[in-house]
Amino acid sequence: MTLQRTFNAMSIKTKVTLAFIFFILIPFSVLGLYTYNQSQRYMQDQLLANSQTTVKQIKYTIENKIDLIESVSNNITFNYRLQQFLGEPYSSDSNSLDTYFNFAAPLVNYAMLFQKINIQKISIYTTNVSIPEGFGSFFSDQKIKKEAWYDAFMSSDQKSLWVLDTKQEDGSDIFRYMQKMISIEGYYLGITIVDVRSVDLLEPAEGPNVVNQPVYIVAENQGYTKEHSFLYVADTLKDVQQVIVMAIPLPPLLSSLQVVANLAFILTLIVLLFAFYFVLKMTLSKMKTSIKQMDLAIETGFQPIPIVRKDEFGVITEKFNILLNKITLLLADMIKKETLHKDAQLIALQSQINPHFIYNTLDIFSSKMEIAGQYDVSDAMADFGKMMRYNMDGHAKFATLQDEIRYLGQYMTLQKVKYGDSIHFRVHVPNELLSIQVLKFILQPIVENSVKHGFAKQDTLDIDIYASQESDLSIRLCVKDNGSGIEAARLEEINEQFRTSVYITKGNKDRESIGLGNINERLKLFYGENYPLQINSIQGQFAETILTLPYDARRSEENNDVYLINN
């Protein structure tokens, strides 16, 4: 609420300026920064995608070489004849020498020749001590038992292993692929080792690439990162536990044309803001002048303002002059009506004397009848006097249901003077509904209509009053008689008139619809269009008039506009 009061207290100039800042300047600035950020991200994504493609190509080429090396090792390690040769004792008297010279040694030499990469050396370290070392390929496994990798490799379940050896005498690095040789029977026969120089295996990473950027081989995870104005793209090589890393320098941010364009855009918005504020200040100063003229016109007796402009302020001045003229006319009319109202009040006070005189006269006649012993006539005149008093209280719009029913009882006492025991009146109303408020005089015209038409074709008439509370918390009032009823076509026509408030009378027989129409209009006026009057009837059997009222559970003492009958 404090924020709202502060906003309402602001001038129009301040409100419009704030609206420009929050709805134009800030959104467009944020949009410019967002566009710049997106363009930078797009450039980085493009650079990253190209670099990742290059790294994957290099990785694919190196892994193809790794597969070839492992394939060469498999051809030697899983050669059944070679396994037989290494698994049997060597003897110069048998075919061992022939197998050694004509098969085992050539198998390794051919593997060195017929391959697409430069394998430096293939060595077979066997557990068979009877086989002589020679040809640069066959050695005893005793020579490798002191290697750092040997114990861990032999104790593990691994069948093969890649190791990077950086302790060469010439300073070069060698990748060694080692593979255990296991016979079909499950006996360990030795280890096959294939050596390849690092420069030969990783040659694709050291040659020129698409993005012309250096490539490194490190022992880290794959992915990419930004650090010190460089974008590092990495991918892991399988088996050799090495990672390809490409370093791409990022361009300086301030050298980007996009940054310059965004700064120009923001500066333009700032200049527009000051220009807008200047124009707004000039416009609102004219508005303040017009407001001062209006204040002066009101203080000087609603004198019209001279129109000197033809823009929007001139139109406002013209409309204000029209408003001043209408106010002047309304004030004159109100003074005239107030004078007439005072005169009407004096006449109304004088007219109240006559009804009181009639009531007092009826009271005298009722007392005389009671002294004379004519008690029924005395009671009828007394009830008529009470009805007169009920009618005289014209300021009350509402009465309790109990008062309305008591008024009906007084009315039926008068009717019994005429009809005697031919008319019967019964009330079926729960005690808890007697104190609800209803519109005044809504039941008596309905009962009067039943009395008027109920004796058309019969000698006796029963009239029952029902009241009940419905499930939707509304009150249902029903006046039912066992008279001649209404024919179906006429009944539908009357109910349609009640729903639409269009009343068409066809003669003296339909005058009752005017009285009921009055009740219907009062119901719809006070309770709403959803509460019209309704009549149900079967010709020759009965007729019932139904009133539906909203129930607010208020008691008569809670509303000063409710008439109370004095007992």
Side-chain angles (χ1 to χ4, degrees):
M1 295 300 292
T2 303
L3 182 61
Q4 183 177 1
R5 286 195 297 268
T6 304
F7 181 78
N8 292 335
M10 291 180 181
S11 64
I12 296 179
K13 179 174 66 175
T14 304
K15 292 179 181 178
V16 175
T17 304
L18 290 177
F20 179 81
I21 293 174
F22 286 104
F23 298 120
I24 297 179
L25 180 62
I26 293 178
F28 274 87
S29 300
V30 172
L31 180 62
L33 293 175
Y34 175 77
T35 304
Y36 165 73
N37 181 65
Q38 289 297 106
S39 62
Q40 289 293 320
R41 181 173 295 182
Y42 175 77
M43 294 170 57
Q44 177 180 309
D45 291 343
Q46 290 294 106
L47 184 61
L48 176 63
N50 294 335
S51 302
Q52 286 179 333
T53 301
T54 302
V55 170
K56 288 185 181 296
Q57 291 175 347
I58 295 173
K59 173 186 174 182
Y60 177 77
T61 304
I62 295 175
E63 288 184 346
N64 279 343
K65 290 188 175 184
I66 292 174
D67 291 338
L68 288 174
I69 293 171
E70 292 179 353
S71 176
V72 170
S73 176
N74 290 336
N75 290 335
I76 297 174
T77 303
F78 297 107
N79 188 286
Y80 179 71
R81 187 174 177 184
L82 179 61
Q83 289 182 357
Q84 282 185 326
F85 171 72
L86 297 177
E88 297 176 354
Y90 180 84
S91 175
S92 57
D93 298 335
S94 61
N95 295 330
S96 298
L97 183 61
D98 181 62
T99 303
Y100 191 18
F101 283 98
N102 296 326
F103 174 74
L107 178 65
V108 176
N109 293 331
Y110 291 154
M112 290 283 294
L113 296 175
F114 298 101
Q115 38 84 21
K116 298 180 181 180
I117 58 177
N118 296 324
I119 295 177
Q120 185 180 26
K121 183 180 180 182
I122 299 177
S123 304
I124 300 175
Y125 294 88
T126 177
T127 58
N128 192 343
V129 296
S130 62
I131 297 178
E133 297 181 355
F135 299 99
S137 299
F138 292 89
F139 305 94
S140 172
D141 65 345
Q142 297 296 324
K143 291 187 176 183
I144 59 174
K145 286 186 177 182
K146 293 183 179 181
E147 295 288 340
W149 51 264
Y150 183 81
D151 291 335
F153 178 53
M154 295 304 298
S155 60
S156 68
D157 295 332
Q158 291 180 273
K159 302 298 182 183
S160 60
L161 178 67
W162 278 93
V163 174
L164 176 61
D165 190 352
T166 60
K167 298 180 181 180
Q168 301 300 310
E169 294 179 357
D170 58 358
S172 63
D173 297 336
I174 292 179
F175 279 98
R176 314 189 84 180
Y177 179 68
M178 294 158 289
Q179 192 172 16
K180 296 177 182 178
M181 184 179 295
I182 308 297
S183 66
I184 297 177
E185 294 80 8
Y187 298 109
Y188 171 70
L189 301 177
I191 296 178
T192 303
I193 298 179
V194 179
D195 294 339
V196 59
R197 292 187 305 170
S198 174
V199 293
D200 293 329
L201 180 63
L202 305 180
E203 180 271 336
E206 298 178 355
N209 53 69
V210 176
V211 295
N212 294 321
Q213 298 299 335
V215 179
Y216 307 94
I217 305 297
V218 298
E220 296 181 359
N221 294 329
Q222 63 180 0
Y224 71 93
T225 183
K226 288 192 299 183
E227 187 175 353
H228 303 302
S229 300
F230 277 86
L231 176 66
Y232 296 95
V233 182
D235 206 343
T236 303
L237 292 171
K238 70 173 184 178
D239 297 334
V240 297
Q241 291 82 42
Q242 301 296 310
V243 177
I244 303 175
V245 179
M246 178 178 289
I248 305 100
L250 296 174
L253 295 179
L254 294 179
S255 65
S256 174
L257 292 177
Q258 186 68 29
V259 175
V260 177
N262 279 276
L263 290 176
F265 178 75
I266 294 174
L267 290 176
T268 302
L269 284 178
I270 295 175
V271 173
L272 288 177
L273 173 62
F274 284 103
F276 174 80
Y277 181 81
F278 179 74
V279 174
L280 179 64
K281 183 177 180 180
M282 294 180 57
T283 303
L284 292 179
S285 64
K286 299 176 182 178
M287 182 181 294
K288 287 183 178 180
T289 303
S290 298
I291 293 174
K292 291 180 180 179
Q293 290 178 342
M294 292 178 183
D295 290 337
L296 182 61
I298 295 173
E299 293 174 356
T300 57
F302 303 109
Q303 295 296 324
I305 302 174
I307 301 175
V308 295
R309 305 171 61 91
K310 295 184 179 181
D311 55 6
E312 289 81 358
F313 293 106
V315 175
I316 293 175
T317 303
E318 181 182 359
K319 300 300 181 182
F320 184 75
N321 288 338
I322 295 174
L323 179 62
L324 291 179
N325 184 50
K326 287 186 177 292
I327 291 175
T328 303
L329 295 176
L330 287 173
L331 285 175
D333 188 53
M334 287 178 61
I335 294 172
K336 183 178 179 180
K337 287 182 178 179
E338 185 66 23
T339 303
L340 294 175
H341 180 66
K342 294 295 183 181
D343 295 339
Q345 282 184 329
L346 292 175
I347 296 173
L349 290 173
Q350 293 175 356
S351 65
Q352 288 181 359
I353 298 174
N354 292 332
H356 280 285
F357 173 74
I358 295 173
Y359 175 76
N360 292 333
T361 303
L362 288 173
D363 190 46
I364 294 171
F365 287 159
S366 176
S367 300
K368 289 293 184 179
M369 291 295 180
E370 186 175 357
I371 294 173
Q374 298 181 3
Y375 298 108
D376 54 343
V377 178
S378 174
D379 292 341
M381 294 187 70
D383 287 337
F384 181 65
K386 294 177 181 178
M387 294 177 65
M388 288 289 295
R389 176 175 292 181
Y390 188 69
N391 290 336
M392 283 192 305
D393 191 3
H395 73 276
K397 298 183 180 67
F398 293 89
T400 64
L401 182 58
Q402 182 177 13
D403 291 341
E404 278 289 287
I405 293 174
R406 184 183 296 116
Y407 182 71
L408 285 180
Q410 294 163 357
Y411 172 76
M412 293 305 298
T413 300
L414 294 178
Q415 295 300 323
K416 280 185 175 291
V417 174
K418 178 180 179 180
Y419 295 105
D421 293 334
S422 298
I423 190 169
H424 302 91
F425 178 70
R426 293 181 293 271
V427 177
H428 313 275
V429 179
N431 291 333
E432 61 269 17
L433 296 182
L434 291 175
S435 60
I436 67 169
Q437 299 172 20
V438 297
L439 283 174
K440 199 174 178 182
F441 304 122
I442 60 171
L443 294 179
Q444 186 272 333
I446 300 174
V447 174
E448 182 179 355
N449 190 67
S450 296
V451 174
K452 182 177 180 180
H453 298 281
F455 285 106
K457 296 180 181 180
Q458 59 190 45
D459 298 329
T460 61
L461 180 66
D462 295 336
I463 299 177
D464 294 273
I465 308 295
Y466 298 93
S468 61
Q469 184 173 346
E470 302 299 301
S471 58
D472 60 352
L473 297 182
S474 62
I475 301 299
R476 185 178 187 270
L477 302 179
C478 176
V479 179
K480 184 175 182 181
D481 65 71
N482 63 343
S484 57
I486 307 173
E487 62 181 8
R490 178 59 181 153
L491 178 65
E492 183 177 355
E493 182 180 349
I494 293 174
N495 283 327
E496 180 64 22
Q497 292 178 8
F498 290 155
R499 286 191 293 270
T500 60
S501 296
V502 179
Y503 306 100
I504 302 175
T505 59
K506 299 180 180 179
N508 293 333
K509 293 183 178 180
D510 297 321
R511 285 188 301 173
E512 71 276 4
S513 63
I514 299 177
L516 297 181
N518 179 274
I519 297 175
N520 181 65
E521 291 306 307
R522 292 171 63 204
L523 289 173
K524 295 168 73 173
L525 177 64
F526 282 93
Y527 299 127
E529 293 293 329
N530 295 328
Y531 297 94
L533 203 63
Q534 182 182 355
I535 298 179
N536 297 329
S537 178
I538 297 178
Q539 190 172 10
Q541 296 185 20
F542 74 91
E544 62 177 4
T545 304
I546 300 173
L547 301 88
T548 304
L549 313 176
Y551 178 52
D552 59 5
R554 295 182 303 172
R555 300 303 180 188
S556 60
E557 61 269 15
E558 297 175 2
N559 193 333
N560 295 326
D561 198 24
V562 177
Y563 179 80
L564 296 176
I565 293 181
N566 297 322
N567 293 326

